[in-house]
Amino acid sequence: MAVPLAPSTEDVYRYDDLHALFVNCTLKPSPQLSHTQGLVDRSRAIMEARGVTTELVRAVDQDIAPGVYPDMTEHGFATDAWPTLYEKVMAADILVLAGPIWLGDNSSVTKQVIERLYSCSSLLNTQGQYAYYGRVGGCLITGNEDGVKHCAMNVLYSLQHLGYTIPPQADAGWIGAAGPGPSYLDPGSGGPGNDFTNRNTSFMTWNLMHLAALLKRAGGIPAYGNQRSEWDAGCRPEADNPEHR
């Protein structure tokens, strides 16, 4: 007999104080059809139904300069939209990077966004930890060739390395049949109705909300043994000091 969901599952946590930012890393500028957006919309709908405030940015529409510094106008570029986008990143409890597969890898826009996230990874929060601590990350991948898991591994590794917390089953994707063929939103693709993709998208979305709620209630990641400000000031947890071993 199937085990039903616990009646209290939806009552344990509140989600209406969470904010999620979806960054669509399609190569297509607005208003062109983005198949990645179709999968983003499904995840956003689940969050919004539980009261999560969501925001969407199509990165290619922004004048984001390439580079690995917080503001590239200080390094030779005339304009840079990243400082404004970084404010949105920092206002979000949940960050979902979504993008297509090209040549079996993440899009150039996805990589650019990750590079710019990296450019701010040395900044600190009020507890002296790296700035992204206490935030949750996930990813959505679309394409019509193989590569979903490879792309997801790259994105999720990058996010956790920068300080994001990654829940279980933090990725979902759709690739259809191998070889040239219909994309996610094309008529007859089967993408929006694919049970495997829909299941993984649902699991990913709920896990992001669950973990973000847990972290928010706990006040983030405990600030002990991971404070860059304390380390730079010469403070070391006793167990980390070879002289005390």
Side-chain angles (χ1 to χ4, degrees), residues 42-242:
R42 183 174 294 272
S43 180
R44 285 185 78 190
I46 294 171
M47 289 191 187
E48 291 178 353
R50 297 303 304 161
V52 178
T53 300
T54 71
E55 187 172 2
L56 171 71
V57 171
R58 188 178 290 205
V60 75
D61 291 341
Q62 311 297 314
D63 185 19
I64 301 172
V68 289
Y69 294 98
D71 186 348
M72 292 305 298
T73 62
E74 299 174 357
H75 297 272
F77 285 85
T79 59
D80 185 11
W82 178 255
T84 299
L85 182 53
Y86 178 69
E87 293 180 3
K88 296 180 183 292
V89 169
M90 296 307 292
D93 304 291
I94 300 170
L95 174 66
V96 180
L97 297 185
I101 301 169
W102 291 109
L103 295 174
D105 208 343
N106 287 301
S107 75
S108 56
V109 177
T110 302
K111 294 178 179 180
Q112 182 187 34
V113 170
I114 290 173
E115 286 173 347
R116 296 312 303 276
L117 286 167
Y118 175 69
S119 74
C120 297
S121 63
S122 63
L123 302 179
L124 305 181
N125 65 18
T126 57
Q127 299 187 93
Q129 301 165 308
Y130 289 117
Y132 301 127
Y133 272 44
R135 292 169 174 79
V136 174
C139 67
L140 295 167
I141 308 293
T142 60
N144 58 13
E145 295 278 0
D146 196 9
V148 166
K149 293 179 180 178
H150 166 77
C151 291
M153 284 190 292
N154 182 284
V155 173
L156 295 180
Y157 167 79
S158 298
L159 290 178
Q160 67 80 29
H161 184 75
L162 300 182
Y164 277 87
T165 304
I166 310 299
Q169 189 60 56
D171 66 288
W174 186 88
I175 53 173
S183 296
Y184 182 72
L185 292 179
D186 285 339
S189 72
N194 185 277
D195 188 66
F196 181 81
T197 296
N198 292 340
R199 183 196 70 190
N200 285 356
T201 302
S202 180
F203 285 10
M204 179 212 73
T205 305
W206 276 101
N207 287 340
L208 290 172
M209 291 191 293
H210 288 322
L211 185 55
L214 281 169
L215 287 173
K216 201 171 190 75
R217 306 298 170 264
I221 300 292
Y224 181 78
N226 56 19
Q227 295 168 285
R228 172 66 185 268
S229 60
E230 296 298 303
W231 187 273
D232 290 348
C235 299
R236 305 285 191 273
E238 187 171 299
D240 294 341
N241 190 336

